[in-house]
């Protein structure tokens, strides 16, 4: 097995001073892993995903490809002067790290405009563009329209009509918005790890099965950057269908259940 993609070392999170939600969460995510996170409502699953994406303050260390994102972000000369061995991966910053280890919310909350506007805005962020080989304005536009076509195609396979990309977020159903958010994350194709927060919670069983199968195949595919998933679900059946590793949150701890693997 190669180097882990992501490593959590002693992650501890306090939601308010002195009130620890969970402590000392440690595990490594390897290529091909679909890590299922389960536990009672309020146990801290979403908060752990947000810690992993550096969206919530925490203690402990998170390594991406063997380094903290901050260390990836230090420039080459600084790292050399510190006697730091150089990673074969390009330097990145925290915003770029968040595109490689991408948090996908259950549903978009209060987003303005349409999904199409959203996809174009996200694609144009510098952190996302760092992943593309942009040579000139024409190739940038080509890349954007490729991403958009891919997103429409992926969502189309899950029964989302192309016209919905032009509709305001506030006028989409929960299930439509959920599939569009997921299709956006997949079509951007920047992430090696997707942090999925109950990705099918608003879907009917048939749509849910299509999304599950697509995500499993995307991790196996060598054509895309995606290499692993962290997947929160409240469904035992879904956990068994998709998971390759299983973690449970209970009493402020997050432990792997190796009997299910
Ligand atoms: N910013 C915050 N300030 C205070 N408490 C918070 C904050 N964010 C989350 N919490 C609390 O932390 C606990 C864990 O929340 P979290 O969303 O991580 O749970 P969860 O396990 O994902 O729950 P669910 O299964 O219901 O989605 C909850 O009690 C929540 O109210």
């Amino acid at each position: 097995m190669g180097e882990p993609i992501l490593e959590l070392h002693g992650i501890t999170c306090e939601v308010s001073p002195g009130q620890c939600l969970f402590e000392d969460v440690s595990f490594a995510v390897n290529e091909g892993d679909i890590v299922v996170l389960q536990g009672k409502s309020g146990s801290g699953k979403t908060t752990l995903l947000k810690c992993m994406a550096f969206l919530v303050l925490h203690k402990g260390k998170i390594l991406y490809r063997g380094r903290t994102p901050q260390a990836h972000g230090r420039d080459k000369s600084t790292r050399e002067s510190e006697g730091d061995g150089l990673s074969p991966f390009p330097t990145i910053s925290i915003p770029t790290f968040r595109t490689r280890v991408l948090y996908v919310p259950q549903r978009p909350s209060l987003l303005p405009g349409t999904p199409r506007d959203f996809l174009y805005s996200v694609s144009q962020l510098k952190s996302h563009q760092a992943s593309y080989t942009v040579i000139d304005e024409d190739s940038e536009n080509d890349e954007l329209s490729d991403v958009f076509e891919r997103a429409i195609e992926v969502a189309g396979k899950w029964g989302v009509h192309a016209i919905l990309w032009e509709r305001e977020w506030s006028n989409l159903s929960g299930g439509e918005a959920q599939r569009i958010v997921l299709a956006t994350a997949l079509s951007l194709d920047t992430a090696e790890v997707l942090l999925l927060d109950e990705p099918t919670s608003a879907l009917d069983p048939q749509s849910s099965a299509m999304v599950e199968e697509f995500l499993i195949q995307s991790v196996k595919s060598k054509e895309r950057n995606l290499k692993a998933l962290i997947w929160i679900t409240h469904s035992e059946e879904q956990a068994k269908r998709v998971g390759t590793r299983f973690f449970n949150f209970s009493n402020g701890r997050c432990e792997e259940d190796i009997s299910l693997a």
Side-chain angles (χ1 to χ4, degrees), residues 125-164:
L125 291 174
K126 207 162 165 265
S127 49
H128 276 277
Q129 291 195 344
S131 312
Y132 304 146
T133 318
V134 176
I135 300 160
D136 53 31
E137 207 174 305
D138 285 347
S139 65
E140 186 179 332
N141 289 337
D142 287 351
E143 178 69 53
L144 278 175
S145 62
D146 284 355
V147 169
F148 190 51
E149 271 175 32
R150 205 153 60 222
I152 289 180
E153 190 192 328
V154 170
K157 287 185 183 161
W158 304 335
V160 175
H161 197 281
I163 197 84
L164 298 184

Side-chain angles (χ1 to χ4, degrees), residues 15 21 39-48 106 198 232 234:
V15 281
L21 181 58
K40 284 190 181 155
S41 254
S43 55
K45 303 176 298 295
T46 296
T47 307
L48 179 65
Q106 239 184 91
E198 299 185 54
I232 295 178
H234 282 289

Side-chain angles (χ1 to χ4, degrees), residues 161-211:
H161 197 281
I163 197 84
L164 298 184
W165 289 85
E166 315 293 342
R167 192 180 284 176
E168 298 279 320
W169 283 105
S170 53
N171 295 327
L172 293 170
S173 78
E176 288 163 351
Q178 193 164 43
R179 280 171 289 177
I180 284 176
V181 166
L182 262 179
T184 301
L186 287 161
S187 67
L188 288 166
D189 197 29
T190 55
E192 290 202 290
V193 183
L194 286 181
L195 308 173
L196 303 174
D197 199 344
E198 299 185 54
T200 65
S201 58
L203 303 186
D204 60 85
Q206 201 185 348
S207 307
S208 182
M210 286 191 285
V211 169

